[in-house]
Amino acid sequence: MPCVFSCFTICLIVTFLGLLYNHPMANYIVKTKTKENITTNILTGAQKLIHTLESVGVEYIFGYPGASVLPVYNELSHSKINHILCRHEQGAIHSAEGYARIKGKAGVVLVTSGPGFSNTMTGILNAYSDKTPLVVITGQAENLHNNEFQSADIINIAKSCTKKCYAVNNAAEIEMILNKAFLNSQKTPCGPVVVTVTKSVLESGINENISYKIRKEIKVEASHSCVLRAIETLKSAKRPLIIAGGGCRYIENELTEFAYLTHIPVVNTLMGKDSCSNISLGLIGQSGDKALNDYIEKSDVVLALGVRFSNKTTNNKKFLPNSKIISINAEKIVSDNVKLEKEFTGELEVILQQIIGVIKAKNILFDIKYDWLESIPQKYDLIKNDNKQDYIISLISEYSKKYNPIVSTDVGEHQISAVKNFRTKTSKKFLTSGGFGTMGYGLPSAIGAHFAQPNSLILNLTGDGSFQMNMQELGTVSEYNIPLKIFILNNSSLGMIETTQRKNYNNTYQSSLINPDFKKIAESYGIQGYTIRTTEELESALKEIFKYKKAVLLDIKI
């Protein structure tokens, strides 16, 4: 009898527990327990790294795997973040640059230690020069002083050409350091930030809840009295001028509004091309139009917006010595070739909005229609000639204009021709390497631009020398079915170098190239290729290729 009672009792208890488990309160009990588990959950450093990247809104990572960062790649395979496998680490950096400049937020790169990192250096220098926000996450050897495999002192190598370098010493620091890295990279002036992390840190455990604080800097305006004096100086000018530099990239609306408010004519530097296509008279400086360079010498007051006054702009001589130059720039100007009347150092967007606000509030009228530059021709007279780069690029511009394409260039004669002759309708549509002049920038930056705006037509204008610097990225184009349109202006030489050699040295030593068949190379990657020898062949191709939802390469013999 006792045995029967015991069995009965056990059955009742089991039944009761079963009912309790199915009761709504049971769900509450389970959820509470799960919540408690989460608060004490232990993550690996790699998991924390990926969680942090997701939390700051990273959509794409451009990278190349290696042993020291494989824990990150393992976590990436379960992540909503898309990894783009580039064919070289320099290609990954330039792709992230293209993405950042079109998307308007930091591009992210992931590479391994040693040569994985060192292969990024050219791109990092390029991003630093052109103020492009990047976060570069790189593996690091465990011990730098024991001749360890793929060992390199990354922090000391990179610190001269980055905004900040961080070494993650333990997994608990990962979230804080990554948040600081993104904040620093996107803070004016923008630029690349490097974060190094060892495999042991990526594999070690960390409590999920770590508290920390990051202080965000307040945007500082210029003083009201200085703004008033600057406005008065501009208003009293007889021949005022606005020079738009690379710092204007994300302030197209403010720049356009200010130009229309004041009626002051606008010219641009090489890096300023992308901010003022609709209102600028053209390119000035070393590669600019000679007539325009001569005319701006007559200006009496100049407002320089986001201009660094590099030798490419000043042409290695005293720049506009008879003009009063007012500069607004993210950094203090360091140039022996320019004398500034007034310098505002700060965030260009904030200060220009402040100036516009004062003009409107006080109803300050710039009622003179300045016409002193109206005699400058705004369009080049191009002769139909199979071998003229200006004509070829203007033709590509004309046939593609209805698509409002994004354009990337490499460095060389085709680059300068594109700046002068390719007409973009809106800002953030023109990618080029300005301050560092990096050959091989064009193709990978176009890849990054595609992921920033996948529905836009992307054109890569390049030369045969530049294209061969990173043409392995055709593999990336093919793998991800990126519908780029690639135009190689092929003169079988390093054209700009050869021109300089002829002019200054009466010699063309080592500037000629024996090139491969670019059409066959494209086809080997599954990309449609054309060889173009005449204007008629080019026009025939241009009538068709922009309709294709696939990659196309044109080898244009010039």
Side-chain angles (χ1 to χ4, degrees):
M1 186 69 180
C3 182
V4 173
F5 178 77
S6 298
C7 289
F8 179 72
T9 303
I10 292 170
C11 288
L12 281 174
I13 292 170
V14 170
T15 303
F16 174 75
L17 289 174
L19 290 170
L20 179 61
Y21 182 79
N22 289 303
H23 191 275
M25 181 61 78
N27 289 331
Y28 173 78
I29 293 168
V30 171
K31 286 177 183 177
T32 303
K33 187 175 181 181
T34 303
K35 187 175 181 181
E36 288 173 354
N37 285 341
I38 289 174
T39 59
T40 59
N41 192 26
I42 301 298
L43 300 177
T44 66
Q47 288 172 326
K48 192 65 178 177
L49 188 148
I50 295 302
H51 288 186
T52 304
L53 294 180
E54 288 175 340
S55 72
V56 298
V58 173
E59 299 171 297
Y60 291 96
I61 291 176
F62 302 88
Y64 201 96
S68 69
V69 288
L70 287 184
V72 181
Y73 275 88
N74 186 54
E75 296 307 322
L76 264 176
S77 67
H78 313 303
S79 170
K80 63 184 180 181
I81 297 173
N82 299 288
H83 179 273
I84 307 304
L85 178 61
C86 298
R87 297 309 189 259
H88 190 281
E89 290 90 351
Q90 183 183 347
I93 290 280
H94 293 325
S95 292
E97 286 186 274
Y99 176 87
R101 287 174 60 176
I102 297 301
K103 195 73 174 178
K105 67 178 187 179
V108 182
V109 177
L110 174 60
V111 295
T112 193
S113 56
F117 166 75
S118 64
N119 282 343
T120 69
M121 281 306 301
T122 296
I124 288 174
L125 279 157
N126 191 80
Y128 187 68
S129 182
D130 287 346
K131 312 298 185 220
T132 304
L134 297 182
V135 174
V136 182
I137 302 168
T138 172
Q140 177 59 295
E142 299 290 342
N143 194 324
L144 298 182
H145 307 293
N146 286 348
N147 294 320
E148 188 174 332
F149 179 65
Q150 293 192 337
S151 175
D153 190 349
I154 292 172
I155 299 295
N156 278 321
I157 291 171
K159 67 183 182 181
S160 68
C161 57
T162 53
K163 289 192 68 181
K164 192 77 176 177
C165 294
Y166 297 97
V168 180
N169 296 313
N170 63 74
E173 299 176 336
I174 287 176
E175 184 176 9
M176 178 182 66
I177 285 177
L178 282 178
N179 276 284
K180 283 183 176 180
F182 278 92
L183 187 65
N184 272 316
S185 72
Q186 296 171 123
K187 184 176 67 177
T188 304
C190 298
V193 173
V194 167
V195 177
T196 72
V197 58
T198 63
K199 189 175 183 181
S200 63
V201 167
L202 292 171
E203 292 177 335
S204 63
I206 174 181
N207 187 299
E208 188 183 23
N209 284 340
I210 303 293
S211 61
Y212 63 90
K213 291 182 180 180
I214 295 178
R215 188 182 68 184
K216 293 187 178 182
E217 293 191 9
I218 301 170
K219 295 178 180 179
V220 180
E221 294 184 339
S223 72
H224 186 69
S225 59
C226 287
V227 167
L228 283 176
R229 285 198 296 271
I231 292 172
E232 281 302 314
T233 303
L234 284 167
K235 192 175 183 303
S236 63
K238 302 299 181 186
R239 297 178 302 280
L241 180 69
I242 297 170
I243 303 177
C248 293
R249 180 172 184 82
Y250 299 111
I251 63 157
E252 179 194 23
N253 292 337
E254 288 84 0
L255 175 60
T256 302
E257 182 179 9
F258 182 78
Y260 281 119
L261 269 176
T262 62
H263 310 294
I264 300 175
V266 179
V267 296
N268 62 272
T269 66
L270 176 64
M271 290 303 293
K273 157 79 174 176
D274 202 22
S275 60
C276 55
S277 291
N278 288 333
I279 58 174
S280 177
L281 292 169
L283 175 67
I284 63 166
Q286 202 170 88
S287 301
D289 180 62
K290 185 179 186 304
L292 192 53
N293 281 332
D294 290 343
Y295 266 87
I296 67 172
E297 293 283 343
K298 302 173 184 177
S299 62
D300 57 354
V301 177
V302 173
L303 180 63
L305 302 175
V307 181
R308 293 185 305 163
F309 298 101
S310 73
N311 62 317
K312 283 287 186 180
T313 297
T314 65
N315 215 0
N316 288 313
K317 63 181 183 180
K318 292 297 180 184
F319 185 69
L320 305 183
N322 300 317
S323 306
K324 293 180 179 178
I325 301 176
I326 302 168
S327 169
I328 307 176
N329 199 47
E331 299 174 302
K332 287 192 71 67
I333 301 302
V334 180
S335 173
D336 294 332
N337 296 325
V338 62
K339 180 182 178 183
L340 300 179
E341 177 78 11
K342 178 65 183 173
E343 183 174 8
F344 294 90
T345 304
E347 194 159 348
L348 177 56
E349 180 182 13
V350 174
I351 296 174
L352 194 54
Q353 285 173 348
Q354 186 183 0
I355 292 172
I356 291 170
V358 171
I359 290 173
K360 288 181 173 180
K362 293 185 174 295
N363 197 27
I364 300 173
L365 299 178
F366 290 74
D367 51 3
I368 300 172
K369 176 65 177 175
Y370 303 108
D371 58 1
W372 65 282
L373 289 178
E374 282 189 353
S375 58
I376 296 287
Q378 294 190 42
K379 202 163 182 70
Y380 291 83
D381 295 324
L382 301 173
I383 301 170
K384 193 172 182 179
N385 184 326
D386 292 354
N387 295 319
K388 191 167 181 64
Q389 295 199 46
D390 287 351
Y391 177 74
I392 291 170
I393 287 175
S394 67
L395 201 62
I396 297 169
S397 176
E398 184 64 26
Y399 273 91
S400 65
K401 68 180 181 182
K402 71 177 182 179
Y403 301 98
N404 193 22
I406 294 170
V407 180
S408 76
T409 83
D410 270 290
V411 172
E413 290 178 329
H414 75 275
Q415 175 193 32
I416 303 307
S417 182
V419 172
K420 292 178 177 178
N421 298 291
F422 203 101
R423 305 291 165 180
T424 54
K425 293 180 182 179
T426 54
S427 70
K428 291 194 289 186
K429 291 287 185 179
F430 194 86
L431 299 170
T432 198
S433 171
F436 206 53
T438 304
M439 295 173 70
Y441 170 86
L443 176 59
S445 70
I447 290 170
H450 164 76
F451 288 105
Q453 285 190 16
N455 296 322
S456 291
L457 173 65
I458 316 287
L459 311 182
N460 172 214
L461 305 179
T462 184
D464 47 314
S466 285
F467 181 70
Q468 291 181 85
M469 290 281 187
N470 271 317
M471 68 180 180
Q472 77 283 339
E473 297 306 325
L474 287 176
T476 311
V477 173
S478 178
E479 179 171 345
Y480 295 96
N481 299 311
I482 303 171
L484 297 186
K485 305 299 181 280
I486 302 164
F487 301 87
I488 304 174
L489 279 70
N490 184 354
N491 56 10
S492 295
S493 76
L494 304 175
M496 185 173 279
I497 296 300
E498 183 174 304
T499 298
T500 304
Q501 286 177 318
R502 289 184 189 279
K503 181 180 177 181
N504 297 333
Y505 301 97
N506 194 28
N507 193 346
T508 59
Y509 181 68
Q510 294 288 293
S511 58
S512 296
L513 299 173
I514 298 175
N515 287 327
D517 187 328
F518 292 119
K519 178 176 180 288
K520 288 183 178 178
I521 288 176
E523 290 171 346
S524 73
Y525 281 101
I527 295 170
Q528 185 167 345
Y530 294 82
T531 300
I532 305 295
R533 292 184 173 84
T534 67
T535 299
E536 288 70 29
E537 289 178 351
L538 177 59
E539 290 196 69
S540 177
L542 291 174
K543 290 174 183 176
E544 299 296 327
I545 62 171
F546 300 128
K547 303 172 188 175
Y548 300 162
K549 300 298 182 183
K550 57 186 178 182
V552 177
L553 181 147
L554 277 69
D555 178 9
I556 305 171
K557 308 290 187 181
I558 60 169

